[in-house]
Amino acid sequence: MSSLSHDHDHDHDDDHDHAHPHDHVHSSLSDMEVRVRALETLLTQKGYIDPAAIDRIIETYETEVGPHNGAQVVAKAWAEPEFKAWLLKDATAAIASLGFTGRQGEHMVALENTSDQHNMVVCTLCSCYPWPILGLPPVWYKSAAYRSRTVLEPRKVLADFGVTLPESTRIRVWDSTAELRYLVLPKRPDGTEHLSQAELASLVTRDAMIGTALV
Ligand code: FE
């Protein structure tokens, strides 16, 4: 999606470019970018989309929304038992109380990692992802390899991410849908009792909230 955020002014020159293909080569654009722009131009001409609106949405998710939001949720849950209980019972409301709401976050479920169970999130169909708390999904999350292998052999996928869990820890894989998005609540590391919520939040990574990393 990020290729859509590149500037659109060149699109208006497309007729000229096609008339003189050798005068003005889009050497800096990949085939995919050219195709995305061509499609975007077509959809814009037909009135389906407003490029300025797309840019605003992507800019918001690239700059204002990101894993730092989810990290605040996790840190608060670690620090405040009542909030953690609320998060596990009604994640949508608990997360919304921190101001994190919006597209693809309407129905959230929080999954607590324990010594007994480690949770991993995938979208086997496409790339459903909790945008309001994690921003845009990483490239690997959308890959066919991650989407298929996580279900079949989660422990091997974790190993590929450098994570080794004891055999006694069960791994549970959760398949996101258009209706349900998941947030993994990682285990709070030992020796962090003295840390503030802000300091705790700084420890929490995006991958830990997807379940492909530990904190
Ligand atoms: Fe999906």
Side-chain angles (χ1 to χ4, degrees), residues 74-165:
V74 170
K76 189 173 176 69
W78 283 347
E80 300 176 14
E82 321 78 54
F83 182 78
K84 177 179 164 183
W86 188 19
L87 182 68
L88 295 175
K89 187 163 175 270
D90 185 351
T92 310
I95 291 169
S97 76
L98 299 182
F100 307 138
T101 59
R103 287 161 187 256
Q104 309 228 11
E106 293 91 346
H107 302 286
M108 293 292 312
V109 171
L111 311 164
E112 183 183 18
N113 282 351
T114 64
S115 300
D116 291 334
Q117 178 167 307
H118 178 87
N119 300 287
M120 287 178 79
V121 180
V122 67
C123 177
T124 56
L125 277 181
C126 43
S127 57
C128 298
Y129 193 73
W131 292 6
I133 48 169
L134 295 187
L136 298 174
V139 170
W140 54 259
Y141 185 84
K142 299 182 274 188
S143 70
Y146 180 77
R147 286 160 43 206
S148 58
R149 289 191 55 214
T150 298
V151 176
L152 296 172
E153 42 187 17
R155 206 172 284 272
K156 282 189 184 170
V157 172
L158 276 184
D160 290 341
F161 277 84
V163 175
T164 308
L165 293 170

Side-chain angles (χ1 to χ4, degrees), residues 152-179:
L152 296 172
E153 42 187 17
R155 206 172 284 272
K156 282 189 184 170
V157 172
L158 276 184
D160 290 341
F161 277 84
V163 175
T164 308
L165 293 170
E167 284 297 324
S168 57
T169 302
R170 180 174 61 238
I171 300 175
R172 185 149 178 206
V173 176
W174 301 77
D175 194 357
S176 308
T177 67
E179 278 77 42

Side-chain angles (χ1 to χ4, degrees), residues 1-2 4-5 54-63:
M1 278 182 80
S2 60
L4 290 177
S5 68
I54 292 180
D55 276 358
R56 274 197 303 279
I57 291 169
I58 290 178
E59 191 182 324
T60 298
Y61 281 96
E62 282 182 341
T63 58

